[in-house]
Amino acid sequence: MKSRTYGFTLLELLVVMVIIGLLASYVAPRFFDQIGKSEVKATRAQLDALDKALGAYRIDTGHYPSTEQGLKALVERPQAEPKWSGPYLAKALPPDPWGRAYLYRAPGDQNHDYELMSLGKDGQRGGTGDNIDISIWDTGR
């Protein structure tokens, strides 16, 4: 009597591998695109929180922090700032979702009191997609 062994042929395994590869090539770009969108949304949320903290700082002191003082003035009292009532952030100053510090300058461009932005994923000025610069002034105001 002949015993029968069960298993997969090489052809069947190759077909399954091709199907898995096609599915991965379809799903992966969509997945990574969503990750990029969530990082941009997180940046916009952090910029909004920093904007509110800067507003509270201005109410207390009568002005925004200087460029030299930077955003650090929201968590640590600047020298010679008697009206400071902070810290204005509940936690430490956050980096952007790509691990870099937010850019702050006072006075800002385009008739704004200050400029607050992230340079996006690439850390360079300009860009599109995940590499786009994200400013407090273009967050739907």
Side-chain angles (χ1 to χ4, degrees), residues 69-113:
Q69 292 169 329
L71 295 174
K72 188 176 180 182
L74 298 175
V75 292
E76 293 179 18
R77 178 190 296 269
Q79 289 184 343
E81 192 61 72
K83 297 179 183 177
W84 191 85
S85 298
Y88 298 95
L89 295 173
K91 297 180 180 179
L93 194 60
D96 70 10
W98 299 280
R100 287 184 294 280
Y102 285 100
L103 300 180
Y104 173 79
R105 183 176 66 196
D109 292 337
Q110 303 170 353
N111 300 322
H112 295 296
D113 292 323

Side-chain angles (χ1 to χ4, degrees), residues 112-135:
H112 295 296
D113 292 323
Y114 62 89
E115 181 179 356
L116 178 61
M117 67 185 305
S118 167
L119 296 179
K121 185 176 184 176
D122 65 353
Q124 305 292 320
R125 290 221 179 245
T128 58
D130 294 349
N131 297 328
I132 194 167
D133 297 345
I134 305 164
S135 170

